[in-house]
Amino acid sequence: MNARHLTTCRTLAVLFVLGLSTTNTSLAAVTWKNIQFGGFASQGFLVNTGNNDYLGDTSGGTFDFREYALNASWSKGKFRVGAQGFGQRLGNYGDDKIVLDWAIVDYQATQWFGIRAGRVKMPRGLYNEALDVDSVRPFVLLPQSVYDARLRDFNSAINGGMIYGNINLRRFGSLDYKAFYGDIPMSTDSGANDYFNNDVPYPNVKIGMDAVYGGSLFWNTPKSGLRVGYSYSAFQDFGADRFLTMDIPPYGLIQFIMYRNTDRYDRHLLSAEYATGDWTFAAEIGQEEADFLIGIPAEVPTGILAVDNIYGYLSATRRINDRLEIGAYYSYTKEQQTSVNIVDGLIFPDLIQHDFAISAKYDINERWLVKVEGHYLDGAGKIFDTPSWPQPLAKRDESWFLLAAKATFSF
C-alpha cells in the first residue's frame, strides 16, 4: 500500500472511530477554561468520465479529496480571539499540510462598528466565510465558477485587517458592511498559482502583490429571508517576473527577464439569496478584469494581455425532512484573454465551462453527515494546463460527467 492510500485509510479510520464515540452526544463544541474548541474532518471520493486531472486524478477515481481543521476561540465582553489550523488534499493541491487558516483579534465596540486584525476571512459573496460549515448546504462542491475548491488557500483569508458592522435601517431592514486591507501570499505549487499561470508554457514562479483591498455590502431587506449584496476585491501591483533562457544564434544561450504585471486586478461579485420555508434560492454573478503588461526587453515587443472573465450560477435547495436535503445548480464560466502587440497572430481561445449539478445531503446524526452529487459538464474551460500538469485544449473532453461523494464529522 502506497503512502497516499495509507493516509486516506488513516483518515477514514479516525473519522469512523470519532463517529462511533460521539453518536449519542450533543453538538456543542468542547469548552475548557472558557476556551471553546471546534473542528471537522471530511473524506470524499471523486470520479469522472473524462479529463484526467480535474480536481485531481479523477478519471480512475480518487480519494485524494479531504479536509480537516481544529479551531479555538476565547471571548470576553467585546473582545474575541481565535484561530484555526487546516489541512486538505485535493488532487495535486494541499498535500495534507497543516496551515494557519485564520487567526484573529476582534473588538466590536458597537453593533455598527467593529475591528478585526490578523489572518482574516475574506468577505466575498454569500458563502466564502462559511466554506467549512458543511451542514448548511447539500452541495459537495459549491459552484466552482465562484467558489473554486483549488483556490481555497487564495480566496479564504487575507493577512491584514478589517472593519465591519451592521447598520439598522429600521423598517428598511439593515446593512452589513465589511472593508479590508492586507496581503495574500501565494506558493508556487498552489492552485491559485496554476490558475494565474494557466496556459503559460513556462514553469510556475512566485506570484505576488503589493496589497489586496476591498469589501462587501449586503442589504438584509424588509422581505423576510431576502438579502442582496456586492463584493469587491483588488490586487495592487499584481504579477511576477520570470527568468527565461533562450538560444539566440550566434550568441548561444542568453538569459532574459520576462515580466507579466498589472497595476490592478479587479474582482466584482453581485449576490442574492432568498430563503422561504424549506426552500433556499441563490444567484451570484462575477467579473474579473485586468490589463497585464507583458514583455521581454528588446527581443519581443512589449504588449498587453487583457483579461475579462465572467462567471456565475443559479442554485436551489430544499429541506425534505429533518435528515434529508436536496439541491441543484447551474454554474457558468467564461475566461477570455485578448492580446495587443505581443506576437503577431497570437490568439487565446475563450475557456468556457457549463456545470449542471444535483446533490443530496443526509444527516446521520448531529455530528455525522454524508453527501452525494452528480455533475454534467459541457466544456472544459476550468481545467489547468501547466508544464507540471499538461492538459492542452485539443486533448480535453468537451462533454463529461463527474460524481462526488463526501462524509463529514463535525464537533
Side-chain angles (χ1 to χ4, degrees), residues 3-19:
R4 179 177 296 182
H5 288 155
L6 183 60
T7 300
T8 299
C9 291
R10 286 174 177 169
T11 303
L12 288 170
V14 170
L15 283 170
F16 181 69
V17 171
L18 288 172

Side-chain angles (χ1 to χ4, degrees), residues 194-209:
D194 278 355
Y195 174 74
F196 289 109
N197 279 300
N198 191 19
D199 293 322
V200 176
Y202 308 108
N204 283 7
V205 296
K206 187 172 180 59
I207 294 178
M209 66 190 76

